[in-house]
Amino acid sequence: MESHLRAKGAQFYSIGLSYKKADAEIRGRFSINDEAQKAILAQAKAEGVPSLLIMSTCNRTELYGYAQHPFQLIKLLCEHTHGTVEEFEKVAYVYKSKDAISHLFKVGTGLDSQILGDFEIISQVKFGFRQSKKFDMINPLMERLINAVIQASKRIKNETEISSGATSVSFASVQYIMKNVPNISEKNILLFGTGKIGRNTCENLIKHTKNSHITLINRTITKARAVAGKFNLIVKPYSEIQSQITNADVLIVATGAQNPTISKELLYLKKPLLILDLSIPKNVSDNVTDIPEVSLVHLDHLSKMTDDTLSRRKTHIPQAEQIIEEIKKEFVDWLETRKFAPTIKALKNKLSTLSASEINIQRKKLTDFNEEHADILSNRIVQKITNHFANHLKDDDTATAESIELIQQVFQLQNKLS
């Protein structure tokens, strides 16, 4: 397999870094925006790199392509980002040939993601593929490989449950709210605080509930307005928090304070209220549950939901890996066939020519010669002989290069291998 993962003398490599060894700051330094991606592809093409795929997300930056040496790809990455070779070498990984192929399958199917089963990554593979195609930087082998990875991702998504359930606290919050609050799109939702989880929950609520009754309160109103502008929320001053809570059906607390900011003394309720405390440490006092109308859900409960989801997802890894192996084998078989297909085609043409010549001779010599029967018989014999040679070359124990050379010599075939 090594020999036919070459293009113009270059080997197939994957180089990159991810959340596993590189922290957010380092990943940020090696992040590739759209302009940098185009610049890398243009330079790679000018330098004679035959094929290149670029992927950059918040959790990883990777280059897949052909090079005489992986440093050629590392240099391209470092020249167009804010990272240095020295920094890269501390956190990087480099895969070659079949290991690079296996890595792309794992990444593209979500098995290497920070959140197991994250299928957003395949959209990044597709985006990188489209960008490279625009620069004519995808050769037939790379195109076949990427399509195989996309196929594997689709099958794993459809045939396993590795992407089921909520895996982030913000999304688990939204699922909990939607499950426990009927007609959520018509309810009043109050977000107190601008913590990251609270903001993400709010964004997910807007996307999944189509709710236009979301109000934001923050002690610093300028911060509230900055967040509200992004999400199109209603902003109210902190002085109105008591009346806003009374009016709310759902209260999301993400204040990031060191002591509780919500207690039963603030609550004057006329209807049921669901409170989600998404803060560390807890920002909602347990005494709110003294009020019968209150339902309280803490971050640790939602975190447990996401932990359980990830545990369930892990049980589906073997099934996902089996699908990958099936599709990867199909790709490798195709790769093997590419290597000897020209020789088999040339052999079949040579045998067909010999057969046609012999039939022509016999036609002239025999008065009752049945040319139709002779054609059928000779074609079947030619096909059987070529099948025997093809099966021989497919055999794992066969020294393919030496066998091809011998076939070419014996049958005096022109060498059509590039």
Side-chain angles (χ1 to χ4, degrees):
M1 185 163 151
E2 300 278 342
S3 58
H4 26 110
L5 284 171
R6 295 179 181 273
K8 299 179 182 177
Q11 277 277 16
F12 183 61
Y13 289 101
S14 166
I15 64 106
L17 52 94
S18 75
Y19 67 93
K20 290 182 177 179
K21 287 181 70 176
D23 60 27
E25 184 180 349
I26 291 293
R27 296 199 305 274
R29 291 176 64 77
F30 286 96
S31 181
I32 301 171
N33 60 27
D34 287 353
E35 290 306 308
Q37 188 175 31
K38 292 171 185 175
I40 290 172
L41 288 167
Q43 185 175 330
K45 189 170 186 176
E47 291 179 359
V49 173
S51 195
L52 183 65
L53 174 72
I54 300 169
M55 203 172 4
S56 185
T57 71
C58 57
N59 284 327
R60 70 179 64 246
T61 295
E62 295 181 335
L63 270 62
Y64 295 84
Y66 290 90
Q68 304 293 336
H69 189 278
F71 185 73
Q72 189 177 5
L73 301 180
I74 296 167
K75 183 168 167 286
L76 278 169
L77 173 64
C78 295
E79 283 182 0
H80 294 277
T81 61
H82 298 291
T84 66
V85 174
E86 291 73 25
E87 287 174 321
F88 179 82
E89 287 175 343
K90 288 177 184 175
V91 295
Y93 42 80
V94 175
Y95 298 108
K96 178 182 175 184
S97 191
K98 60 184 180 182
D99 292 330
I101 287 174
S102 295
H103 182 66
L104 181 54
F105 270 100
K106 280 189 70 177
V107 169
T109 55
L111 295 190
D112 197 62
S113 295
Q114 190 164 22
I115 297 174
L116 176 65
D118 177 10
F119 281 104
E120 289 299 314
I121 191 70
I122 198 64
S123 63
Q124 296 293 332
V125 174
K126 292 175 181 177
F127 176 77
F129 176 63
R130 289 194 298 270
Q131 292 294 91
S132 294
K133 288 277 279 188
K134 289 176 185 176
F135 282 79
D136 194 25
M137 285 293 287
I138 296 288
N139 66 4
L141 187 151
M142 185 88 93
E143 183 157 359
R144 182 85 176 216
L145 172 60
I146 293 168
N147 283 328
V149 172
I150 293 169
Q151 182 192 357
S153 173
K154 191 180 296 183
R155 276 193 57 189
I156 289 169
K157 191 172 186 179
N158 292 336
E159 297 174 27
T160 77
E161 295 180 23
I162 205 165
S163 63
S164 62
T167 53
S168 69
V169 168
S170 60
F171 191 54
S173 304
V174 174
Q175 284 198 329
Y176 188 91
I177 291 169
M178 292 177 72
K179 184 177 179 181
N180 291 278
V181 182
N183 306 313
I184 186 61
S185 61
E186 301 167 12
K187 302 295 185 179
N188 294 320
I189 300 173
L190 175 62
L191 174 61
F192 178 34
T194 57
K196 183 180 177 183
I197 292 176
R199 294 197 309 273
N200 289 345
T201 301
C202 193
E203 187 172 12
N204 276 315
L205 276 169
I206 292 166
K207 184 162 73 172
H208 295 287
T209 68
K210 313 298 181 191
N211 191 303
S212 57
H213 308 83
I214 301 177
T215 301
L216 174 61
I217 291 179
N218 196 62
R219 288 182 187 277
T220 309
I221 199 164
T222 51
K223 286 185 179 179
R225 285 174 179 151
V227 174
K230 181 181 178 185
F231 297 129
N232 196 27
L233 309 180
I234 302 160
V235 175
K236 295 290 182 179
Y238 177 64
S239 58
E240 293 186 20
I241 189 166
Q242 195 170 61
S243 61
Q244 291 298 323
I245 291 174
T246 302
N247 191 44
D249 298 288
V250 178
L251 169 62
I252 301 168
V253 181
T255 53
Q258 292 303 304
N259 298 299
T261 54
I262 301 292
S263 62
K264 72 176 183 179
E265 288 75 23
L266 266 178
L267 308 183
Y268 291 87
L269 305 182
K270 302 173 184 176
K271 57 182 177 178
L273 176 66
L274 172 62
I275 303 177
L276 273 71
D277 185 359
L278 307 183
S279 312
I280 301 174
K282 293 178 180 180
N283 279 191
V284 178
S285 173
D286 288 336
N287 69 12
V288 298
T289 56
D290 294 345
I291 302 172
E293 292 88 352
V294 170
S295 300
L296 175 63
V297 177
H298 279 300
L299 178 72
D300 52 6
H301 174 73
L302 295 166
S303 296
K304 180 68 167 58
M305 286 171 59
T306 63
D307 289 344
D308 290 346
T309 293
L310 288 171
S311 295
R312 286 196 302 274
R313 285 189 175 192
K314 286 177 182 177
T315 64
H316 298 284
I317 289 176
Q319 190 182 355
E321 288 177 335
Q322 185 178 348
I323 290 170
I324 288 173
E325 285 307 310
E326 286 176 21
I327 295 174
K328 192 162 65 173
K329 184 179 183 305
E330 289 173 9
F331 173 74
V332 171
D333 287 347
W334 171 83
L335 208 55
E336 293 284 345
T337 303
R338 267 175 62 91
K339 183 174 183 182
F340 59 75
T343 298
I344 292 298
K345 185 177 179 181
L347 174 61
K348 188 174 182 178
N349 289 340
K350 182 65 176 276
L351 293 174
S352 296
T353 300
L354 292 172
S355 175
S357 174
E358 188 59 33
I359 287 172
N360 190 43
I361 292 169
Q362 296 303 323
R363 187 197 306 114
K364 293 173 183 177
K365 291 170 83 173
L366 302 172
T367 54
D368 57 349
F369 182 70
N370 189 323
E371 188 170 346
E372 184 182 352
H373 288 174
D375 279 335
I376 292 171
L377 188 61
S378 66
N379 288 340
R380 292 194 64 176
I381 291 171
V382 166
Q383 189 60 52
K384 283 184 180 293
I385 292 171
T386 51
N387 284 348
H388 272 286
F389 278 106
N391 289 334
H392 170 72
L393 294 172
K394 283 180 185 176
D395 195 315
D396 291 340
D397 296 328
T398 299
T400 310
E402 290 84 346
S403 293
I404 287 173
E405 188 177 352
L406 181 60
I407 293 167
Q408 289 169 345
Q409 288 175 357
V410 170
F411 291 96
Q412 298 177 332
L413 304 177
Q414 185 179 355
N415 186 359
K416 296 185 179 182
L417 293 177
S418 55

